[in-house]
Amino acid sequence: MRDTLFYRQPEFEIVPMVSDHCAAVATLHAQRFARAWGDGEFVSLLLQPNSFGFVAWQTNTLIFKAPLAGFVLAREVAGEAEILTIAVNDKMARFGLGWRLMQAAMREARNRGGEAMFLEVDDGNAAALGLYRKLGFEKAGERPAYYTDESGRRTSALVMRRDLR
């Protein structure tokens, strides 16, 4: 329970993603997505000159090596930025970490010359949609029956856009 005497609000350190982080990133991605990307895919994307990412670890934990709390991977090309993927550990949900990771990605995209940022989100992912809308993203399009979950159910991908200027 979060309001007990011994509860501590988690604190996070967000740092640029490097190749050494990709195994932990792939592990978290597999926990959060039906179609998991391997660490090789993350390394390959991260090594592209227009790609960048951030990872977050909890800093105020008693665990010697805390699991990855979250990450975001993005790219910027010719003024357009795109969130490739983002995930937050289930145990770290509702602490503002997704917000902070998105802010870091938007700031970096803007610094690289990005004028707009795009992302795709499953239309059934209410938590993600709420976050993106609070960040100022608006629906720009839809890809019907784009995602397939473990049960074989198909859902649409919403394409969302936000001005970075």
Side-chain angles (χ1 to χ4, degrees):
M1 187 174 202
R2 292 186 178 176
D3 59 353
T4 66
L5 177 64
F6 297 105
Y7 175 74
R8 264 176 116 169
Q9 182 82 7
E11 297 171 8
F12 304 103
E13 178 182 31
I14 297 176
V15 298
M17 186 187 298
V18 297
S19 296
D20 289 348
H21 298 141
C22 289
V25 166
T27 298
L28 179 54
H29 192 271
Q31 293 168 6
R32 304 295 291 157
F33 293 95
R35 195 315 213 170
W37 298 358
D39 58 339
E41 290 171 282
F42 280 103
V43 170
S44 178
L45 285 166
L46 191 58
L47 292 177
Q48 294 175 11
N50 57 345
S51 295
F52 57 93
F54 296 92
V55 294
W57 276 275
Q58 185 178 353
T59 57
N60 64 336
T61 180
L62 298 175
I63 301 170
F64 175 68
K65 177 72 171 143
L68 183 66
F71 72 88
V72 62
L73 182 64
R75 66 178 156 209
E76 186 281 327
V77 178
E80 290 190 353
E82 175 186 16
I83 298 294
L84 299 172
T85 187
I86 180 172
V88 172
N89 186 309
D90 273 343
K91 295 176 182 166
M92 299 296 133
R94 311 299 300 165
F95 290 113
L97 186 54
W99 176 275
R100 290 182 57 199
L101 288 163
M102 287 294 296
Q103 290 288 342
M106 290 187 299
R107 187 172 40 254
E108 180 65 19
R110 199 171 25 253
N111 289 342
R112 290 172 175 241
E115 296 179 10
M117 179 168 270
F118 294 85
L119 57 82
E120 290 177 357
V121 61
D122 188 317
D123 68 352
N125 189 340
L129 283 168
L131 170 64
Y132 301 145
R133 287 183 178 128
K134 284 180 187 175
L135 286 164
F137 283 84
E138 296 177 350
K139 181 180 171 183
E142 185 171 344
R143 293 188 171 104
Y146 186 77
Y147 296 112
T148 305
D149 67 15
E150 290 111 4
S151 69
R153 187 177 64 91
R154 310 265 320 186
T155 58
S156 295
L158 300 182
V159 178
M160 301 186 82
R161 179 190 186 282
R162 181 191 192 276
D163 188 15
L164 294 176
R165 290 177 271 140

